[in-house]
Amino acid sequence: MNPGQQIPRNALVWIILCLFTLVAPHAGRLPVWVLAVYLFAAAWRTMVYQGRWSFPGRLVKAGLTIASCVGIYLSYGSLIGLEPTIALLLTAFALKLIELHQRKDAYVLLFLGYFICITEFLFSQDLPMVAYALVNVILVTTALVALHRPGEHQFNRKTVRLASILVLQSLPLMLVLFFLFPRIGPLWTVPIKSHTARTGVSDFMRPGDISRLGKSDEVAFRVQFEGAIPPPSALYWRGLVFSRQEEGAWRSLRYYDIPPAERRQAPVATPGEPLSYRVIMEPTQQNWLYSLRYARSESPGVMSSADFLLFSPGVLEDERMYQVHSWPEAVLDPTLTDWRREMELRLPPGENPQALALARQLRAAAIDDAQLVDAVLAMFTEQSFGYTLEPPLLPMDNQVDAFLFDSRRGFCEHFASAFVTLMRAAGVPARVVAGYQGGEINPLNRTVIVHQFDAHAWAEVWLEGEGWVRVDPTAAVSPQRIEWGLEQAMQAEGTFLSDSPLSPLRYRGINWLNTLRLRYDDLTWRWQSWVVGFDRERQFQLLNTVFDGISARKFMLVLLASGLLVLGPVAFSLLWRARRRDTSEADRCYLLFCERLARAGVVREAGEPPGRFAARAAAQLREAGDEICRITGLYEQLAYAGDTSPQRQQAALLALRRAVRRFRSNPRTA
Amino acid sequence: MQLQGLIDAAVAEVGSVLLGKEAQIRLALCCLFSRGHLLIEDLPGMGKTTLSHALADVLGLSWKRVQFTSDLLPADILGVSIYNRSDASFSFHPGPIFTQLLLADEINRTTPRTQSALLEAMAERQVTVEGETRPLPDPFFVIATQNPVHQSGTYPLPESQLDRFLMRLELGYPHPRAERQMFERGHNSGAERVVLARRISDEQLRQIRSRAATVHASDNLLDYLQRLVAYTRSSAEFAVGLSPRGALALLDCARTWAVMHNREHLVPEDLQMVLPAVAAHRLVPAGDYAGDGMALVELLRREVDVIRP
C-alpha cells in the first residue's frame, strides 16, 4: 500500500471513538446485538492494527452483511420503516470499520458519520441532544483532521482545537442556510415511529387515568401570552371533550358517528378583545391541541372541531407551535340541536341505579338547572369527599355508585365523571372535558409551563341562555388544586411526585435549584420557539418583516446576497492569497500551454520539469514536437536564464505569448 | 564546447571498467567537482573499489585505501609522530589520509572514535596531530563505503555524520546486458588492474569548479529550491527536514551538474537529478511513514511542483 494512503494510528483512535459516541444516543432503541457488533468491529479493527488478525475476506464480509440484514429483520419484523432502516445503517456503519484499509475508506466512514449524527434528530430535538450532536460533529471532524496528521500523539489537543475551529468557522454559513434556505416540503415521508409511547392525556378516560398522569413531571406544553397572564384558576386548557360513555370509559364522539350537519362548528359571537398566546406543545403522538375556550387559531395545520376544540390533522411527532386567540366570555352553543341534546344526555343503560335515584331526588328539589348544579357541588363540599392522588380501585360496573356511596375518595376524573352522570340523569346536558389546569409561571420569560401533573378533568353543562358553562367539581372538593396547583393540594397527603424523588420540581423550595430549573426551561422555550419552530411560515414571516414584503425575486436576491456575504470574504481571501503568489506572466503562459497539451492528451505530471516534459510531449506529439521544444525553450530562457537584458526578456515573453496563442489554433495536430 | 566532451570522455573512460553505471559515474564526478565527499552504500563486490580507482585514474589523482576494521585507531589514518633517534626529534609520518583520493572502505565497521577523526579531517581539509596543523592535498576527495547497516558488527553513522557526505550513492546490481558483457570480457579480481588514461587535468578541474560558481540560479529556481526545502520541514512524513547545509549542498551539486551539461543557468532538472543522491541520506522519515529516504525524495519530487501553482 502507498504509505501516504495508510490510516495513521491517531486517526484510528479517533475513528473508533466517534463510532461509539455516534451510536450512543441510539443505544436505547437498538437491539443489544447491534451494540455487540460495535464492540466486535472495534475489537477486530484493533487486532488488525496490532497485526494479529487480518482484514475479513470477501466471503466473511458477505456473510456478515447477510447476517445483519437477517438480524434486523428478525428484531423489527421488517427492513422498511424508520427504526429498522436506522438500525441497518448503524450496523453497516460498524461493519465498515473492519474494512477500513486506506484513507479513502476512512473518508467514506467519517462522512457517513456526519449523516448518522443527523439521524439522532429524527428521535429528539432537545437542547441536550443538539449539544451532543455538536460534540459529535467536532469529534468526526477531529478524526478527519487526524487523518492528515500522522505521527502525532493520539489525543493531541491541537487536532481537537483545529477541528473545533473548523466547525466554528462553518457556523455563519449554517445560520444563513438555516434562516434562508427554502423550507421545501418533504419529498418523502418517514413512517411513524413504532416504538414511541404516546404521552399525555389519552383519547379516553377511565378512573385512575389522570391521577396516573399526576405523577409525571414532564412538560406537556409551554404558553406565552401577549399581555397579562390570567390567574391560574382561569387557565383551563381544553384538549378533549368526552360525550359518550362506553365500557366504563369516557370517550369522544367518533367523527363518523356525527351527522354531517353537526360536524361544523356553530357560529360563535366574539365580543371584546381576545387573549392572545402562543403554545409550543411537546410531541404527544396524538392529534389534539390545547387551548383556552373559546379558541381560534390562524396557524396553518390547526383546525377547529364542533366541540370548540383545536386539533391537528396529523399526530404530533415533533414539537408544534401554534398561535391562538381566545374569548373566555364567548357563549358556546346558545341553542342545542336535538341530536346534540340527545348525545349529551345519553347514559349507559342500567348502570349506577343509586346515582340515578339521587339525581331524581335532587332534580325534584331544585328549581332550575343552575340550582341543580349548585346542589350537586354543595353535596361534594359538605359531605366527606376526599381529593387524593391515590384513589382506591373501583369495580368495573356501577363505578359512579361505588364512588359516590362507597369510596368517596377520588381524583378529578372521578368527580367530573360522577358530576356528569348526575347531571345527565337529571336531564341536564353535560359532558366531561379533559385537558390541563393551571401551570407554572416562569418569571424569567413570562411563559406558563404546563406539566403532565397539571392534567385535569372537569365538566361542562349546558344551561338555557348561557350555552356550555364550565363546572369544576374538583374546585368544590379541593379549592387549593385550582388556586395553587396540585403540589399545594397534595401537601397533606405528601404524594406529589412521590414516585420521582429526583425531579427538580420537588425541590422548588431550594432557591438556586429552582432558578436553575427555570433558566433551563427558558432556554428550552427559546430553542423551541426560534429553532425547532422555525418552519416555512416563520421563515416567510421573518423575511417579510425584515425585508418589508417579500417576493420570489426578492427572496432570490436575498439568498444570493447573503451567500455572497458569507462566501465572498472566503473567496476573496483565497483569491487574494493566490494573487499574492504572483505567478509571473511567463509562468501563466507556460501553464496555459500545459493545459493545451493536456487537451491534446499529454499531461504534465506533478513535479515534472518543463524540459523533461517537453521531451516526452515531443515524442508523443511528433508533428508538434519542434513547436513544443521551441515554446519550452522560450519559457526556460525566461524562467531560468537570467543573463538576458530586459529588452530581450520582453521580446522572449512576447514570442512565448504569441507561440502559445498560436499553439491553440492547431490542437491535436498529431 | 570542449568541457562537455571532456566530461563525456571521462565518463566513458570510467564506464569502460564499471559497465552500465553511467548515471552513478556522473553523480560521483559531480560530487568530486563540487568539492564534496561521497558515501557509497552497497553490498561487497558491487564495484566500489573499481569506481574509486577509475575516478582517481581519469583525474590523475593519488589514490590510497584504508580498510576500516573495529580495531583501527585515529592515528592509523591521520599519521603519527615518531621519535627519531638519529637527530633526536620527532618526525611526522603521515597516515594514508594524505592523499588526493582516499577510499575509506567499510567505514561503519570501525568505532565512532575513528569515524569522527576521518570525518573531521574531511570537513576541515586539514589534520591536526600533536598540536601541528597540516593541510591535506587539494583536491581532497574521500569515497567512503558502508555496508547496509543491518549487517552485524557495525557502527552505523549517525545522521549528523551522514550530513558531512555531499552525496550518497547506491551502485546496485549491474544491468543484465552489462553484466553479460562483463562476463564475456572475463574480468576477474585476480587480474592485473587496468590503468585508465587521465582525462581531466588539474587546470581543467579548476576551470570546471570556477565555472560552477558562476552558474546562474534564477528567482524561479531558487523559489523551487526553497519550496522543496520548506516541504521537507513542514510535511508530516518527514521527522527531520533538510538543513540549510543540505539545501546549499543541493544547490552546489545542481550547479556543477549544469556545468557538466554545458549550461550557464540552472534548470529544475538539475536539482531533480542530484536530489536523490544529495537529499536521501539527510532526510529522516516520520515514525508512521513506511518508506525510507528514497521514498521521501520521490514524494518530495512529486508533491512540490516545479512551477508555482
Side-chain angles (χ1 to χ4, degrees):
Chain A
M1 193 196 307
N2 185 338
Q5 288 302 313
Q6 60 195 1
I7 297 168
R9 177 199 47 167
N10 50 339
L12 190 64
V13 172
W14 283 111
I15 288 170
I16 293 180
L17 192 70
C18 278
L19 220 65
F20 282 99
T21 56
L22 282 170
V23 80
H26 296 281
R29 282 182 296 271
L30 289 174
V32 181
W33 66 265
V34 174
L35 302 179
V37 167
Y38 270 77
L39 287 175
F40 165 76
W44 191 330
R45 191 60 184 78
T46 314
M47 291 303 256
V48 169
Y49 170 72
Q50 291 180 345
R52 294 196 215 170
W53 293 7
S54 57
F55 284 106
R58 207 173 282 251
L59 271 178
V60 178
K61 282 196 275 191
L64 283 172
T65 311
I66 293 168
S68 353
C69 287
V70 170
I72 301 274
Y73 186 81
L74 292 178
S75 299
Y76 289 95
S78 159
L79 283 179
I80 302 161
L82 185 64
E83 284 171 334
T85 321
I86 284 180
L88 200 62
L89 179 69
L90 286 169
T91 316
F93 189 53
L95 288 178
K96 187 77 195 157
L97 189 62
I98 55 174
E99 33 167 37
L100 210 60
H101 290 268
Q102 297 183 24
R103 236 188 222 179
K104 67 168 199 235
D105 301 320
Y107 286 137
V108 172
L109 190 78
L110 290 171
F111 290 150
L112 189 61
Y114 287 115
F115 184 74
I116 285 180
C117 193
I118 303 171
T119 60
E120 295 162 14
F121 291 121
L122 288 172
F123 299 97
S124 163
Q125 301 177 358
D126 289 347
L127 261 181
M129 185 52 86
V130 174
Y132 187 78
L134 194 68
V135 171
N136 266 347
V137 166
I138 290 178
L139 271 178
V140 174
T141 314
T142 304
L144 271 177
V145 172
L147 211 52
H148 292 264
R149 300 181 131 192
E152 267 183 357
H153 184 258
Q154 56 261 51
F155 294 117
N156 194 320
R157 226 182 27 219
K158 275 191 203 152
T159 316
V160 185
R161 207 178 62 194
L162 181 60
S164 311
I165 289 172
L166 284 173
V167 171
L168 282 181
Q169 280 172 335
S170 70
L171 285 183
L173 192 61
M174 186 195 84
L175 287 178
V176 167
L177 288 177
F178 177 77
F179 282 111
L180 293 176
F181 196 80
R183 298 284 192 279
I184 306 160
L187 300 175
W188 44 275
T189 47
V190 180
I192 298 168
K193 292 153 224 168
S194 48
H195 294 286
T196 327
R198 299 175 168 220
T199 52
V201 174
S202 67
D203 60 349
F204 63 92
M205 185 187 86
R206 281 202 184 86
D209 278 353
I210 292 189
S211 50
R212 216 165 13 255
L213 274 180
K215 291 176 180 170
S216 162
D217 67 339
E218 277 174 45
V219 173
F221 54 93
R222 296 181 176 84
V223 189
Q224 192 169 46
F225 283 93
E226 289 170 20
I229 302 173
S233 57
L235 297 177
Y236 279 85
W237 305 102
R238 299 168 90 241
L240 284 164
V241 166
F242 297 134
S243 294
R244 71 197 171 91
Q245 226 183 349
E246 209 172 76
E247 294 159 4
W250 283 96
R251 290 170 196 274
S252 301
L253 290 172
R254 278 188 294 261
Y255 186 72
Y256 294 102
D257 291 348
I258 305 171
E262 304 282 344
R263 285 179 192 168
R264 293 192 64 95
Q265 201 180 79
V268 179
T270 51
E273 277 296 301
L275 283 170
S276 294
Y277 50 94
R278 197 146 56 103
V279 183
I280 297 182
M281 270 180 73
E282 295 288 321
T284 57
Q285 313 301 327
Q286 315 273 25
N287 71 339
W288 47 91
L289 307 172
Y290 295 94
S291 57
L292 298 174
R293 71 167 256 175
Y294 153 76
R296 267 188 207 164
S297 173
E298 272 104 49
S299 295
V302 177
M303 299 169 82
S304 300
S305 77
D307 300 325
F308 312 102
L309 294 169
L310 299 180
F311 69 98
S312 144
V315 302
L316 270 67
E317 290 191 58
D318 300 307
E319 283 91 355
R320 176 69 168 275
M321 178 165 72
Y322 52 95
Q323 188 81 34
V324 191
H325 300 293
S326 281
W327 288 265
E329 305 304 325
V331 178
L332 306 179
D333 274 345
T335 56
L336 218 52
T337 61
D338 292 341
W339 176 84
R340 182 55 84 171
R341 179 180 292 274
E342 203 250 307
M343 288 314 292
E344 307 293 16
L345 282 173
R346 188 181 283 178
L347 281 173
E351 276 197 40
N352 306 317
Q354 279 178 284
L356 298 191
L358 176 67
R360 274 192 293 276
Q361 198 183 317
L362 289 167
R363 170 88 267 183
I367 302 165
D368 59 3
D369 292 352
Q371 210 182 16
L372 183 70
V373 170
D374 289 341
V376 175
L377 290 181
M379 180 189 82
F380 284 142
T381 316
E382 285 155 17
Q383 298 185 17
S384 56
F385 280 94
Y387 184 62
T388 172
L389 249 178
E390 287 166 346
L393 279 176
L394 295 178
M396 276 308 284
D397 300 321
N398 302 329
Q399 282 174 345
V400 174
D401 276 3
F403 169 67
L404 279 178
F405 301 103
D406 189 18
S407 73
R408 295 182 166 240
R409 283 159 50 73
F411 201 56
C412 52
E413 69 264 37
H414 299 86
F415 290 99
S417 166
F419 179 81
V420 171
T421 305
L422 286 174
M423 281 296 136
R424 287 189 174 188
V428 182
R431 58 194 184 184
V432 176
V433 184
Y436 296 86
Q437 198 280 318
E440 180 190 15
I441 294 168
N442 186 346
L444 292 168
N445 56 5
R446 308 292 296 156
T447 54
V448 179
I449 312 162
V450 180
H451 294 97
Q452 291 298 355
F453 59 69
D454 292 318
H456 193 51
W458 61 96
E460 276 179 354
V461 291
W462 189 85
L463 300 178
E464 194 65 49
E466 294 176 54
W468 289 105
V469 176
R470 179 179 69 224
V471 179
D472 189 355
T474 311
V477 185
S478 172
Q480 301 99 310
R481 163 69 183 87
I482 309 306
E483 295 287 339
W484 304 107
L486 189 65
E487 189 184 8
Q488 293 293 321
M490 291 301 152
Q491 210 161 34
E493 199 179 74
T495 47
F496 178 70
L497 295 179
S498 55
D499 294 346
S500 33
L502 284 179
S503 166
L505 278 162
R506 287 192 62 177
Y507 306 104
R508 274 193 272 202
I510 304 169
N511 226 332
W512 63 269
L513 200 64
N514 200 36
T515 315
L516 210 65
R517 180 181 65 84
L518 291 173
R519 277 209 185 284
Y520 180 70
D521 201 87
D522 175 40
L523 212 61
T524 309
W525 165 264
R526 280 164 202 268
W527 172 251
Q528 289 183 342
S529 58
W530 275 105
V531 181
V532 179
F534 192 79
D535 54 7
R536 207 187 315 189
E537 284 69 31
R538 294 270 295 179
Q539 183 185 34
F540 187 75
Q541 254 175 29
L542 180 86
L543 294 177
N544 228 343
T545 46
V546 172
F547 298 104
D548 190 26
I550 192 101
S551 63
R553 218 175 74 189
K554 223 172 184 179
F555 181 72
M556 280 310 293
L557 277 175
V558 167
L559 202 64
L560 284 175
S562 51
L564 215 65
L565 218 64
V566 170
L567 295 177
V570 178
F572 181 77
S573 75
L574 284 176
L575 280 175
W576 191 68
R577 224 179 287 171
R579 269 210 82 74
R580 222 175 34 158
R581 279 180 187 167
D582 67 359
T583 25
S584 70
E585 177 79 33
D587 283 353
R588 255 174 284 152
C589 274
Y590 181 70
L591 288 174
L592 190 67
F593 170 64
C594 289
E595 260 173 53
R596 304 230 160 109
L597 278 177
R599 241 174 284 154
V602 194
V603 183
R604 194 171 70 91
E605 279 164 19
E608 192 170 24
R612 204 178 306 150
F613 175 54
R616 193 163 64 85
Q620 217 163 324
L621 308 171
R622 282 211 193 95
E623 280 169 42
D626 290 345
E627 188 60 13
I628 292 171
C629 290
R630 198 174 77 82
I631 290 175
T632 308
L634 279 170
Y635 172 70
E636 285 196 324
Q637 187 196 335
L638 278 165
Y640 302 117
D643 55 347
T644 46
S645 63
Q647 284 87 357
R648 280 180 63 189
Q649 289 265 8
Q650 199 58 39
L653 186 57
L654 263 171
L656 175 66
R657 216 182 295 162
R658 204 172 306 141
V660 170
R661 205 178 307 145
R662 227 177 306 134
F663 194 77
R664 170 169 48 177
S665 59
N666 54 351
R668 296 180 190 280
T669 43
Chain B
M1 176 74 204
Q2 85 229 32
L3 213 54
Q4 169 96 47
L6 205 68
I7 288 160
D8 285 346
V11 171
E13 189 73 33
V14 179
S16 70
V17 289
L18 193 69
L19 300 175
K21 292 286 167 208
E22 201 196 308
Q24 282 90 337
I25 295 166
R26 272 185 194 279
L27 282 169
L29 276 173
C30 174
C31 180
L32 201 152
F33 295 151
S34 310
R35 292 188 171 85
H37 303 288
L38 180 66
L39 177 68
I40 303 181
E41 199 172 275
D42 222 324
L43 296 164
M46 306 295 276
K48 289 172 290 201
T49 315
T50 312
L51 174 66
S52 64
H53 239 139
L55 285 177
D57 282 351
V58 294
L59 289 161
L61 304 176
S62 59
W63 185 87
K64 271 181 193 152
R65 168 183 186 155
V66 181
Q67 186 68 39
F68 278 53
T69 56
S70 54
D71 55 357
L72 196 77
L73 293 174
D76 296 332
I77 307 171
L78 305 180
V80 282
S81 290
I82 293 173
Y83 184 69
N84 192 337
R85 216 184 310 176
S86 59
D87 54 3
S89 67
F90 282 95
S91 64
F92 181 68
H93 286 242
I97 199 162
F98 288 90
T99 183
Q100 287 178 310
L101 199 158
L102 176 73
L103 176 63
D105 224 352
E106 300 199 75
I107 190 174
N108 58 337
R109 281 188 58 199
T110 194
T111 53
R113 186 177 156 204
T114 313
Q115 285 173 358
S116 56
L118 173 70
L119 292 163
E120 209 179 310
M122 279 162 53
E124 308 288 328
R125 291 175 190 277
Q126 59 189 20
V127 172
T128 305
V129 180
E130 281 150 27
E132 201 176 325
T133 301
R134 292 177 177 83
L136 292 170
D138 184 60
F140 174 64
F141 185 48
V142 174
I143 297 181
T145 72
Q146 179 164 256
N147 282 334
V149 284
H150 51 75
Q151 293 198 349
S152 60
T154 59
Y155 302 88
L157 292 176
E159 276 92 24
S160 57
Q161 305 280 46
L162 283 176
D163 202 32
R164 301 198 184 231
F165 288 95
L166 187 62
M167 282 192 187
R168 186 186 65 178
L169 286 180
E170 280 169 27
L171 288 176
Y173 294 111
H175 190 274
R177 207 181 306 130
E179 198 164 25
R180 180 61 170 268
Q181 205 184 342
M182 197 173 80
F183 295 155
E184 281 163 2
R185 274 205 217 163
H187 273 298
N188 67 52
S189 51
E192 192 67 23
R193 191 174 79 81
V194 183
V195 179
L196 301 178
R198 180 171 190 180
R199 293 288 180 178
I200 297 173
S201 66
D202 289 350
E203 176 52 35
Q204 283 163 329
L205 178 63
R206 251 195 303 283
Q207 208 184 331
I208 292 171
R209 285 181 168 175
S210 64
R211 277 191 53 184
T214 61
V215 166
H216 175 75
S218 69
D219 278 351
N220 273 19
L221 190 109
L222 292 180
D223 194 63
Y224 175 53
L225 173 64
Q226 239 174 345
R227 276 183 292 125
L228 282 174
V229 173
Y231 187 82
T232 66
R233 294 173 190 167
S234 64
S235 171
E237 286 87 353
F238 298 80
V240 176
L242 274 182
S243 61
R245 175 159 57 182
L248 273 178
L250 199 55
L251 191 59
D252 283 349
C253 289
R255 280 199 158 110
T256 309
W257 191 265
V259 169
M260 288 168 72
H261 293 81
N262 201 21
R263 245 181 291 102
E264 276 153 21
H265 59 265
L266 281 173
V267 292
E269 282 94 330
D270 298 328
L271 280 176
Q272 291 194 355
M273 286 310 290
V274 298
L275 188 65
V278 177
H281 63 292
R282 300 171 202 259
L283 295 174
V284 180
D288 275 22
Y289 190 76
D292 58 358
M294 277 300 178
L296 282 177
V297 167
E298 185 50 34
L299 178 82
L300 187 61
R301 204 186 59 73
R302 228 179 28 236
E303 291 297 317
V304 182
D305 201 356
V306 173
I307 300 159
R308 198 169 237 203

